[in-house]
Amino acid sequence: MAQQVQAVIAPGRNEPVRVETIVIPDPGPGEAVVKIQACGVCHTDLHYKQGGINDEFPFLLGHEAAGVVESVGEGVTDVAPGDFVILNWRAVCGQCRACLRGRPWYCFDTHNAKQKMTLLDGTELSPALGIGAFAEKTLVASGQCTKVDPEVAPEVAGLLGCGVMAGIGAAINTGQVGRGDSVAVIGCGGVGDAAIAGSRLAGAAKIIAVDIDDRKLETAKKMGATHTVNSRTSDPVEAIRALTDGNGADVVIEAVGRPDTYEQAFYARDLAGTVVLVGVPTPDMKLELPLLDVFGRGGSLKSSWYGDCLPSRDFPMLVDLHQQGRLDLAAFVTETIGLGDIEQAFARMHDGDVLRSVVVF
Ligand code: APR
Ligand code: ZN
Ligand code: ZN
């Protein structure tokens, strides 16, 4: 039986979000209905609302979520009703060239639920990042569900579904930060702070946080930064070099998504170092660098997509590390809120007041 639940909808470009009743179909083959327990508010939700991602309104917002599987469709064996899961953006096929080469985050044939959730009048909803979890329940592909330790707090677990995973993964998966490395992180919002936490986890000896906002640098210290640089008042490239015996950092993680900060990252790295771009640029942005400097400096330039994560490997591992007290994911939760508070949460996010507001059900 299809069921009706409360959910947060973005009805049209820049229109305020609304709490509405939506219809969730029974799960079909390969699908699962998940009862959401917590869902973080991410910049991407705001971008959907602003029409910055695509025009497929109305959107069902929310995508950093954890909850309990309520029911599964035909043929589903990977999860069962009662499982506590973190949701990810898309299920991977396991068979394409990317999957077979062990890089399933570049899978050619990802999928989400085939059936649509709708408004009461039958209007089809577009779920944010294939999830749509500012809702009491949502319909996903079963492969989007990853089982983790059910003892973890849902508001903490859900964050691994997007921004926190992106940052931690930029450090440990893409940047391959190792014991004793020096790391610089440019841009210390949720993603940059997670990159700092990931670098600490990986055993980095020096973690240099760079931001233009002193409040962000204070939080970065709590996440594990050993040094801070305000790039409004001092040159970050010189500062990072000075802090690394003139060499530059082994790994520099750009978590803003701008050409000028990318350029800083490029020149702040050790000659054999790695630059990781995890900040997401806009389509109009161009990078101009002397080709001779690209040639003359070794190392590698990488981008990190969803922290290059493999949810089935990384979500349970990071939850376990949190539960053991070795990674403080709770530090990313600034406040818990209700479904009706999303607009205020967007405003606070915009003002830089919160790392994460998390809707709890
Ligand atoms: N130099 C250094 N830091 C900067 C600069 C700059 N020129 N401009 C902005 N920042 C800082 C901000 O002060 C803030 O602390 O970058 C941080 C960005 O943080 P958020 O806006 O909270 O963004 P976040 O959620 O961390 O995402 C960062 O990664 O996933 C992508 O789309 C996301 O591009 C975004 C980036
Ligand atoms: Zn594949
Ligand atoms: Zn997100």
Side-chain angles (χ1 to χ4, degrees):
M1 279 286 287
Q3 37 181 337
Q4 298 183 2
V5 302
Q6 296 300 104
V8 174
I9 306 301
R13 186 180 285 264
N14 276 324
E15 288 174 36
V17 303
R18 288 205 293 259
V19 179
E20 295 241 9
T21 303
I22 66 165
V23 180
I24 315 263
D26 279 348
E31 293 175 343
V33 170
V34 178
K35 193 167 186 301
I36 303 299
Q37 294 182 320
C39 182
V41 181
C42 173
H43 278 82
T44 306
D45 294 306
L46 181 60
H47 291 162
Y48 271 111
K49 172 193 138 160
Q50 293 167 334
I53 302 206
N54 63 52
D55 268 327
E56 291 160 21
F57 290 99
F59 291 109
L60 171 56
L61 297 181
H63 62 273
E64 291 188 355
V68 174
V69 175
E70 181 186 74
S71 54
V72 297
E74 211 186 299
V76 171
T77 54
D78 40 3
V79 286
D83 284 346
F84 179 69
V85 296
I86 298 176
L87 300 179
N88 71 73
W89 302 348
R90 64 253 164 108
V92 298
C93 79
Q95 329 231 316
C96 71
R97 182 172 148 84
C99 283
L100 292 176
R101 294 175 89 205
R103 310 184 79 200
W105 47 91
Y106 292 113
C107 174
F108 300 168
D109 189 19
T110 59
H111 60 281
N112 299 111
K114 293 207 170 50
Q115 298 184 86
K116 296 286 184 188
M117 294 177 274
T118 65
L119 294 175
L120 283 175
D121 67 3
T123 306
E124 291 187 351
L125 294 166
S126 306
L129 287 168
I131 295 178
F134 288 151
E136 293 164 317
K137 296 176 186 178
T138 193
L139 176 77
V140 292
S142 68
Q144 290 179 260
C145 302
T146 303
K147 277 194 269 185
V148 299
D149 178 359
E151 295 296 316
V152 67
E155 62 270 28
V156 164
L159 298 189
L160 289 173
C162 182
V164 171
M165 184 68 246
I168 294 178
I172 66 174
N173 292 334
T174 319
Q176 299 272 307
V177 171
R179 191 171 60 233
D181 279 354
S182 56
V183 179
V185 176
I186 303 181
C188 301
V191 173
D193 278 344
I196 289 170
S199 300
R200 171 157 74 178
L201 192 62
K206 245 175 224 169
I207 305 174
I208 304 161
V210 180
D211 204 291
I212 49 175
D213 181 339
D214 282 328
R215 292 175 306 166
K216 302 290 184 167
L217 293 173
E218 279 312 305
T219 317
K221 276 192 214 159
K222 297 198 186 100
M223 298 291 176
T226 57
H227 301 79
T228 59
V229 175
N230 185 322
S231 53
R232 272 239 160 88
T233 49
S234 46
D235 178 344
V237 176
E238 277 175 24
I240 292 167
R241 290 234 180 101
L243 288 166
T244 52
D245 303 323
N247 298 317
D250 296 311
V251 182
V252 186
I253 299 170
E254 200 281 7
V256 188
R258 294 165 52 109
D260 55 341
T261 43
Y262 188 87
E263 187 172 332
Q264 291 163 4
F266 179 83
Y267 286 109
R269 82 187 201 279
D270 178 87
L271 280 179
T274 301
V275 176
V276 176
L277 176 62
V278 63
V280 182
T282 55
D284 55 298
M285 290 177 175
K286 295 249 178 346
L287 179 69
E288 208 176 323
L289 286 173
L291 195 54
L292 190 60
D293 286 353
V294 178
F295 177 74
R297 304 174 64 86
S300 49
L301 309 177
K302 294 176 156 186
S303 67
S304 187
W305 175 245
Y306 203 171
D308 286 338
C309 77
L310 187 54
S312 57
R313 175 194 64 195
D314 294 340
F315 291 177
M317 170 191 69
L318 294 172
V319 165
D320 288 349
L321 290 170
H322 170 75
Q323 292 297 77
Q324 295 161 10
R326 294 157 72 190
L327 170 69
D328 183 10
L329 294 175
F332 290 89
V333 182
T334 312
E335 57 174 4
T336 54
I337 61 171
L339 259 191
D341 305 326
I342 305 280
E343 281 296 344
Q344 294 95 305
F346 280 154
R348 277 195 292 275
M349 185 172 74
H350 183 264
D351 294 340
D353 293 340
V354 294
L355 265 181
R356 272 297 184 269
S357 307
V358 182
V359 175
V360 289
F361 294 86

